[in-house]
């Protein structure tokens, strides 16, 4: 992978730092590239949402996939799941500090994609803005249903 890795004092890339960076990028893109993960994180930007609100916010996701993705985001430490005992039982999801720390990078990546990648589908570019659960995610600039 070119263009990654730290530079030594004389400006030369070091092989060790390049390999670490490549592994880190592969890990990050492998996780964020999973369908729905980015949209779920974006939906939580304005604040906590319940399960049903998250499902409405991202569109046509199935219950089983939504539960799987939320569990993965929770295990990764990006989303916090809080259960309020009922009746009725209530489950709320919110971004952790680690999840919030990821948002500027996601916004920059979306802006880069809008500027540098061809528009070959429903995603028109732009940036990840605050998600409103009442708005179809494909109507928001830059939102893609997990391409």
């Amino acid at each position: 992978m070119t263009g990654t890795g730290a530079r030594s004092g004389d400006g030369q890339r070091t092989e060790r730092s390049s390999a670490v960076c490549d592994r880190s990028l592969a890990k990050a893109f492998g996780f964020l590239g999973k369908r729905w993960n980015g949209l779920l994180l974006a939906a939580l930007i304005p604040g906590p949402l319940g399960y049903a609100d998250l499902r409405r916010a991202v569109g046509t996701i199935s219950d089983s996939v939504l539960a799987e993705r939320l569990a993965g985001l929770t295990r990764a430490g990006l989303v916090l799941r809080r259960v309020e005992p009922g009746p009725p039982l209530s489950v709320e999801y919110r971004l952790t500090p680690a999840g919030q720390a990821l948002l500027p990078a996601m916004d920059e990546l979306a802006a880069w994609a809008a500027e540098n990648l061809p528009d070959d589908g429903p995603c028109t570019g732009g940036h990840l803005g605050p998600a409103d659960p009442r708005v179809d995610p494909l109507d928001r600039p830059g939102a893609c249903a997990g391409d």
Side-chain angles (χ1 to χ4, degrees), residues 33 38 82 85 91 94-95 100 115 119 124 135:
R82 190 179 81 178
V91 180
R94 71 175 57 232
L95 292 175
Q100 291 172 345
E115 187 175 318
D119 181 13
T124 59
V135 176

Side-chain angles (χ1 to χ4, degrees), residues 92-134:
E92 174 185 271
Y93 296 89
R94 71 175 57 232
L95 292 175
T96 64
Q100 291 172 345
L102 181 59
L103 297 178
M106 289 175 56
D107 193 49
E108 287 296 318
L109 184 59
W112 175 87
E115 187 175 318
N116 294 287
L117 297 178
D119 181 13
D120 58 356
C123 299
T124 59
H127 66 283
L128 290 174
D132 182 338
R134 297 164 297 192

Side-chain angles (χ1 to χ4, degrees), residues 6 15 22 26 51 61 66 72 81-82 129 132 134 139 142:
E15 289 304 316
D22 289 350
Y51 186 89
I61 190 170
L66 177 58
R81 180 181 187 262
R82 190 179 81 178
D132 182 338
R134 297 164 297 192
D139 288 339

Side-chain angles (χ1 to χ4, degrees), residues 39-50 52-59 127-141 143:
L39 282 179
L40 288 169
L41 291 170
L44 292 170
I45 291 171
L49 289 175
D53 291 328
L54 274 169
R55 184 163 191 224
R56 279 191 295 273
V58 298
H127 66 283
L128 290 174
D132 182 338
R134 297 164 297 192
V135 176
D136 182 351
L138 292 179
D139 288 339
R140 289 194 319 268

